Amino acid sequence: MRRVAVTVVFAAALLVAAAPPASAHTVAGSGATNYRTTLRQVAPRIAGLSVKVIESGSRLEASYAGPGDVVVIGYEEEPFLRIGARGVFENLKSPATYINKTRDGVTPPADTDPKAAPVWRKIATGHVARWHDHRVHFMGKTNPPQVRNEPNQRHVIKAKWKVPFVHGTEKSVASGDLVWVPGPSPVPLLAHAVAVVIGLVLGARRRPYLAVGVAVAALVVID
């Protein structure tokens, strides 16, 4: 029984330590990724407007708690979302309303027209909007050439993405960058495996408690 317990402890330690990155939002289909979206600034500032990147760059979140409404501008410079005290509204004539529904994007209906007068539909009662803005994350099915050629190097994919906002006569732009970040070294995983094997061997001794404690401490330090 003692040996079984030792084996279970070390197996659990290995699974926890060597587990891959957790999915950021599995319901939306976005998970751990080497692409890092970073928001650098929102300028000029609009009082009450807050913008941030969420779900590992899969979506943007904007909240507005000031007077009037803030409008998010779509891909063809058309009003896309409206955020204010009355809630969050989407423009049914904006192609972005449909394209931004999913992480990979969809084809908008034929009757969308970015030049037409907005047709607003309420989608939330609060003052927070979240959407898949394809300007801020990588949309390709395969990695770009520079990443394929040098996957162990950091690469700037988009030096400065931009998402515009309008509040009355005020205009503001959220901007940032999208970079490829190399994955972790396999050395720690190998060290974990070695520590587990050593722990299992030592755990077979008559009095394994000290050995188990040392091995667990080594796993923690390595991790």
Side-chain angles (χ1 to χ4, degrees):
M1 182 63 69
R2 181 187 304 165
R3 293 179 182 179
V4 172
V6 171
T7 301
V8 170
V9 168
F10 277 94
L14 178 61
L15 289 174
V16 171
S23 172
H25 195 285
T26 54
V27 174
S30 60
T33 174
N34 289 85
Y35 292 98
R36 179 180 297 165
T37 300
T38 303
L39 174 66
R40 296 299 179 186
Q41 65 175 358
V42 180
R45 300 293 300 180
I46 294 177
L49 174 64
S50 174
V51 182
K52 62 181 179 180
V53 174
I54 61 174
E55 297 171 14
S56 299
S58 182
R59 294 205 288 178
L60 283 183
E61 177 182 291
S63 63
Y64 178 64
D69 296 321
V70 161
V71 175
V72 185
I73 303 302
Y75 304 119
E76 300 182 56
E77 300 184 358
E78 82 283 7
F80 156 48
L81 289 175
R82 194 181 80 198
I83 311 168
R86 292 172 292 178
V88 179
F89 297 77
E90 62 183 8
N91 176 14
L92 298 180
K93 289 296 183 179
S94 167
T97 293
Y98 308 93
I99 296 172
N100 293 350
K101 291 296 185 183
T102 67
R103 175 64 172 77
D104 296 325
V106 297
T107 302
D111 62 348
T112 57
D113 184 358
K115 296 182 180 179
V119 177
W120 297 109
R121 177 176 66 183
K122 190 172 184 177
I123 57 175
T125 56
H127 59 275
V128 179
R130 301 178 183 92
W131 69 99
H132 295 282
D133 201 301
H134 306 308
R135 290 168 285 200
V136 310
H137 57 235
F138 183 68
M139 292 291 293
K141 298 298 183 183
T142 60
N143 292 329
Q146 65 269 37
V147 172
R148 294 198 301 270
N149 293 334
E150 296 181 300
N152 295 323
Q153 300 296 319
R154 181 181 183 275
H155 300 282
V156 177
I157 308 301
K158 290 183 181 180
K160 194 172 186 179
W161 54 258
K162 297 180 179 180
V163 177
F165 295 80
V166 174
H167 174 249
T169 59
E170 296 179 273
K171 295 182 179 180
S172 181
V173 175
S175 60
D177 54 41
L178 172 65
V179 301
W180 165 272
V181 180
S185 168
V187 173
L189 295 181
L190 295 176
H192 276 112
V194 171
V196 168
V197 171
I198 294 175
L200 291 176
V201 172
L202 295 178
R205 298 172 57 188
R206 184 176 181 84
R207 295 182 179 276
Y209 309 113
L210 178 60
V212 170
V214 172
V216 170
L219 281 171
V220 172
V221 171
I222 293 170
D223 189 51

